[in-house]
Amino acid sequence: QVQLVESGGGLAQPGGSLNPSCAASGSTFTVNVMGWVRQAPGKGREMVATMKYNKPVNYTDSVKGRFTISRGNAEHTVLQLMNDLSPEDTAVYHCNAQTQASEIIIHEYWGQGTQVTVSS
């Protein structure tokens, strides 16, 4: 099992920035994909960014050029730098971790989520 804990969400003004992070623990040696998924009120889940080890990060079009995910200093920690935020970015942001083999998801884990609210 893998446990994911997010932190660093909160309230930002339009054009502002937030820097949430995700820490994985447990059987992290099985994880080879990490990323962020968001769910806005009344909408389905949307992949924000996915990072496969040794491959370029994949971002959804609406955040390209504004959001950046990277590995933290601690092993299996993922940071998300969110710049130029807009009210459309308001959502619960969930950390996601997967064990993939040949592009097939073998195991998938979710954090409880951190609320990001963008409002003036």
Side-chain angles (χ1 to χ4, degrees), residues 2 7 16 18 20 38 40 42 52 56 67 70 75 80 91 95 98 115:
V2 174
S7 61
L18 286 171
R38 67 185 178 185
K52 295 184 180 183
F67 290 12
S70 60
E75 191 173 3
Q80 179 169 226
C95 185
Q98 298 173 8
Q115 176 70 47

Side-chain angles (χ1 to χ4, degrees), residues 43-58:
K43 296 186 178 180
R45 286 180 172 174
E46 176 188 31
M47 184 276 290
V48 177
T50 300
M51 181 168 59
K52 295 184 180 183
Y53 294 148
N54 300 320
K55 291 188 177 181
V57 177
N58 184 34

Side-chain angles (χ1 to χ4, degrees), residues 38 63 66-67 82 84-91 93 116 118:
R38 67 185 178 185
V63 307
R66 301 188 299 121
F67 290 12
M82 309 164 68
D84 192 21
L85 287 163
S86 72
E88 289 71 34
D89 295 316
T90 295
Y93 285 72
V116 169
V118 184

